[in-house]
Structure formats: C-alpha cells, structure tokens
Amino acid sequence: MAHYAVRESPPLRGEIPISTSKNAVLPIMCGALLTGEDVRIERVPELTDVKTLCALLASCGCSVKKEGDALVLNAGALQNPQDEEDVRKMRASVLVLGPLLSRLGEARIPLPGGCAIGQRPIDQHLKGMSALGAKVKFDHGGVTLSGRLRGAVIYLDMPSVGATENLLMAATLASGTTRIENAAKEPEIVDLAAFLNAMGARICGAGTSTIVIEGVRALHAVSWQPISDRIEAGTFLVAAGITGGELLLRHCPFAELEAVILKLQSMGMDITATPDGVLAKCGCPLRGADITTQPYPGFPTDMQAQMTALFATTPGISVVKDTIFPQRFMHCSELKRMGADIKVDNGTAVISGVETLSGAPVMASDLRASAALVLAALKAEGTTEIHRLYHIDRGYEMIDEKLLAIGAAVERLPDDDN
Ligand code: EPZ
C-alpha cells in the first residue's frame, strides 16, 4: 500500500480538467445490464470503484471491453453475480439489483454492511421493489428478490439517491406505469434517466421529486457521455480557497454546484463561469460560515469534509451539520491531530479557525475524508503523511498528476511494510 507525503504548498495555480462523475458513471454502468445490446460509455474515469464494478458486471455474465477511455458493455448473457464478495466490496453494487430483477425475474445480493460514514441501509430499495411486485426473502446475510415487475406508485421515506436510481432502472422494463414520489433530484439521476431514455426507456420528471416511468418491452444499444464530477470540482474549488490560489476548472459544472459556489463566495472567494471553465480565485482572507447538508439542490454531504478542512484555518467560528450522514465526521479527529480546533457532537461540528495547522501522520477513513486531509495538509507547516491512500483512489482520477500540475507538494510513497 502507499501513503502521501504532503508539504505546505504555495497558492495553487493552473488548470484542472474535471473528470467524468463517479456517481453518474456507476449507476449508468449498472443500467447497461438492462439490454442485451452494446452499451458504450465515453470518458470513463480511471477509478478503483469503476474497476470494482467492472469485475462485478463481468461476474454477472456481462462482457466488459475497454476501448481507449471508453467502456463497451454487453449483457446479452446475463446471470446473477457468481461471487457475492464482488457485491460486498462497494456499496454502489446494490445498483445491480434493479436491472438483474427486471431482466432475469430474480436477483440476490448480500446485505451491505455499514461504513465509515454511517449505516447504509437499503430498506427503501427493497420497499420499492416489493411495491413493484417482487417477493423479498432474507437469508444467510443476503436478500433474494423474485417475480415479474409491474408498475406501481412508490413513496420513498427519504429522497435516497441509490433507491431512486435502482427503482428507476427496475421500472423501465416493468409492465405498466410507475410513479416514484419523494424521489432524489441529484444531477446524476437526471443523467441516468437521460441515458435510459436514449436506450428507449420512457421516463419523465427526473430532477423533480416525482418521476413517472412507462414500462417498455426492451431497451437497445446506446453510446453515452456521462456528466462531469461536481464533487471533484467542488474539492478543487476548496483547494484554491485553502491555499489562496487561482484555479481554472475545465468541464466544470456550475449550476449543479450552486450551493457550494454560493457558500464559498459568501466566505470571500471570487468564483465565475468563463468560456474556458470555472475560474476560482482567493485573494483575500476568508470568513467562516455555517453549512447544513441537505438532499440536492441543498449543500451536498459529499462536500462536508472538504469544507471542514477549509474552516479549520479560516478565521472565526464555523458550524457544520450533516443531516444525511450524522456520523460523517471521522476526518475531524485526524484534523485535530494536525492542530485543528473542532468539537463534534451529535451530527454537528463546531470549528474555530486556527492560524496554521501542523503536519502529522494521519489516517484516511473514507473517500471524502481523504480529500479533506490532503486539503488541510497543503496548508499545514511541515510534512503530513496520509495513510490508507486507497480511499482517495476510489473517487479522484489521476489525483497525483492533477495536484502536482498546480503546484501542490505531494509525493506518493510506498508504506514501510511494503
Ligand atoms: C449516494 O449514496 C452517493 N453514492 C454518496 O456519495 C452520497 O453521499 C449519497 O448518495 C448522498 O448524496 C453514489 O452515488 C455511488 P442515499 P447512497 O441512499 O445512494 C438513508 C461519495 O462520497 N437511506 O441517498 O447510498 C442513508 O442511510 C458517496 O461519492 C436509508 O435509510 O445515499 C442516508 O442517511 C458517499 N435507507 C440517506 O438515506 C435506504 O434504503 C441518504 O442515502 C437508503 C438510504
């Protein structure tokens, strides 16, 4: 395994090409199981989560071919995953449930465990699938769903991104009309619905809390370019803020990042959309702020850890409340090892900004926490060693090259026990 040695860095300057969205490409890859014809996905990011899902799709009998940075998937010979371990490796694997059930009439997956950011139940997925007519059976740590799907009205108890995506995919081949109420409205769901409609599905209302799906008999081949990664983009906006630099983000979504951009502007950053991309400047000292995470279009929970790192060296008191994942504060104990002044209680962190942080050996606990530690290390005196780097490789494509290209003093080193 490897770790980062990050030294205090000058203001970051330069251009960053934002990659295709991890959280768009993963459900779209699962959507490819809904047809027996070729599905070509362009500009697929080199991420371990993508590699993990490719292995799972292959174990479902799907052929997986890389053509440059495109993936060509063909699920003509679809079956249930042969190795349940492949499903357990990544939470997003639950998204094969809807496609497998609607094409095969039966699907079995292991029940996902919790993770560093909290319990990750799938009760809303299962509630929706049973509303569509599936029989649900729990045994040996897994769940088996079976039955022919027919359209239904589904009310989600909370706007779950994954449940909305899973049920959207299952409903495309169900007989009759399905209406999903209290659906999540994330841009990744709009992209998934547009991808499915390009395959011949009949979905309307994606991006609103009511989605209506007319079931069709079959879906067909498609070539698709998923949207850019708004969370990667937000992470680099924070990198400009924490180092007082100036970054131009190419292929950067602007409207989909509104809650984050408005918050950073309220702290004193200058962020504008230009014909070449989104330009982020941070010339003046920033002011603290408060954030409460909400379902889209509210402030995204996936940007909470990165903002906490920014608040750690921003003068004033900032308050972070995560209503989506109240336990998503493991990065705070590591930031405190670097000298941050943070008190965490009951899903809320109160951060009092300090002059400087000091480099220390820290441990990444999940994907966004690892990004937060890199951001804080750029602003910490001395060297910070960030261990369990595999977390950051799950969701940030070519992160080393991108950081080095803008002047970050980052070095990837093998662990001593290697
Ligand atoms: C997606 O996870 C994202 N992952 C997460 O990004 C993101 O944090 C999350 O949405 C919220 O925006 C992908 O898209 C691959 P949810 P998901 O279902 O679908 C509760 C990252 O860093 N819930 O919207 O798992 C759940 O416990 C990752 O890129 C139930 O109670 O999130 C949570 O409190 C991390 N029952 C809330 O809903 C369910 O059946 C939101 O979860 C489902 C969810």
Side-chain angles (χ1 to χ4, degrees):
M1 283 206 273
H3 66 275
Y4 265 162
V6 184
R7 290 191 316 284
E8 185 169 15
S9 299
L12 301 182
R13 293 189 194 296
E15 294 187 14
I16 294 275
I18 298 302
S19 299
T20 298
S21 162
K22 165 180 85 78
N23 292 349
V25 82
L26 295 177
I28 283 171
M29 287 171 66
C30 296
L33 300 183
L34 288 164
T35 177
E37 300 181 13
D38 278 2
V39 170
R40 184 184 174 85
I41 306 169
E42 303 287 353
R43 269 189 78 216
V44 174
E46 283 284 331
L47 299 171
T48 44
D49 272 10
V50 169
K51 292 192 184 90
T52 304
L53 188 54
C54 283
L56 170 58
L57 297 184
S59 84
C60 294
C62 179
S63 84
V64 179
K65 275 192 274 171
K66 264 182 80 61
E67 291 184 3
D69 64 3
L71 262 187
V72 181
L73 305 174
N74 183 298
L78 191 62
Q79 60 185 11
N80 262 282
Q82 296 313 292
D83 178 352
E84 292 200 353
E85 264 321 294
D86 288 335
V87 186
R88 194 188 302 283
K89 275 189 198 136
M90 181 179 63
R91 167 167 170 85
S93 306
V94 67
L95 296 174
V96 299
L97 194 62
L100 287 172
L101 180 58
S102 52
R103 273 204 61 209
L104 302 178
E106 177 164 300
R108 177 177 170 77
I109 59 164
L111 286 169
C115 68
I117 66 176
Q119 277 311 307
R120 307 295 297 274
I122 61 168
D123 56 298
Q124 299 300 306
H125 300 239
L126 301 178
K127 168 184 162 181
M129 298 295 175
S130 53
L132 290 170
K135 280 192 208 57
V136 181
K137 186 163 156 280
F138 294 94
D139 61 6
H140 312 300
V143 61
T144 304
L145 288 88
S146 56
R148 302 307 307 163
L149 300 184
R150 62 183 188 290
V153 178
I154 301 166
Y155 271 82
L156 294 178
D157 297 340
M158 85 284 296
S160 154
V161 172
T164 303
E165 292 167 340
N166 229 337
L167 296 166
L168 187 58
M169 290 191 278
T172 54
L173 297 178
S175 56
T177 303
T178 297
R179 175 158 50 92
I180 305 172
E181 291 290 357
N182 199 19
K185 301 187 269 193
E186 272 69 2
E188 293 75 26
I189 288 167
V190 175
D191 198 30
L192 175 63
F195 160 77
L196 294 169
N197 281 342
M199 291 170 74
R202 296 174 62 190
I203 302 166
C204 56
T208 75
S209 52
T210 301
I211 303 178
V212 177
I213 307 105
E214 296 290 338
V216 295
R217 290 182 55 73
L219 298 181
H220 55 68
V222 71
S223 178
W224 196 256
Q225 162 65 62
I227 56 174
S228 295
D229 196 315
R230 60 193 170 101
I231 304 300
E232 181 196 19
T235 304
F236 279 106
L237 291 178
V238 173
I242 209 164
T243 61
E246 180 172 323
L247 292 176
L248 177 69
L249 308 186
R250 294 190 177 288
H251 322 297
C252 176
F254 195 86
E256 295 83 351
L257 260 179
E258 192 173 54
V260 175
I261 289 171
L262 288 173
K263 187 58 70 178
L264 291 170
Q265 287 171 333
S266 75
M267 294 173 67
M269 279 191 75
D270 177 8
I271 302 174
T272 47
T274 77
D276 299 323
V278 174
L279 185 61
K281 292 184 200 170
C282 179
C284 57
L286 297 179
R287 299 176 294 280
D290 298 343
I291 57 173
T292 300
T293 67
Q294 297 289 355
Y296 190 86
F299 195 94
T301 174
D302 291 349
M303 278 300 302
Q304 178 259 98
Q306 299 91 311
M307 291 298 287
T308 302
L310 175 61
F311 292 148
T313 57
T314 300
I317 303 281
S318 301
V319 179
V320 174
K321 184 169 174 49
D322 199 325
T323 66
I324 310 288
F325 294 112
Q327 291 94 359
R328 193 176 196 168
F329 290 101
M330 293 205 30
H331 46 284
C332 292
S333 50
E334 299 305 300
L335 292 172
K336 285 160 79 172
R337 289 166 55 82
M338 298 171 69
D341 178 350
I342 307 177
K343 291 178 187 58
V344 178
D345 182 37
N346 199 13
T348 300
V350 179
I351 304 116
S352 172
V354 294
E355 268 297 297
T356 53
L357 296 172
S358 60
V362 292
M363 195 78 80
S365 53
D366 63 272
L367 169 56
R368 307 304 173 185
S370 53
L373 295 175
V374 172
L375 293 169
L378 296 172
K379 182 87 178 166
E381 278 171 359
T383 301
T384 300
E385 280 193 4
I386 303 175
H387 294 272
R388 296 192 183 166
L389 215 45
Y390 55 86
H391 286 294
I392 206 163
D393 294 330
R394 285 189 45 216
Y396 286 93
E397 183 183 42
M398 293 170 57
I399 184 70
D400 301 8
E401 294 84 343
K402 290 183 179 180
L403 287 168
L404 289 168
I406 54 178
V410 170
E411 202 180 352
R412 185 181 287 246
L413 300 168
D415 287 345
D416 299 343
D417 54 2
N418 261 10

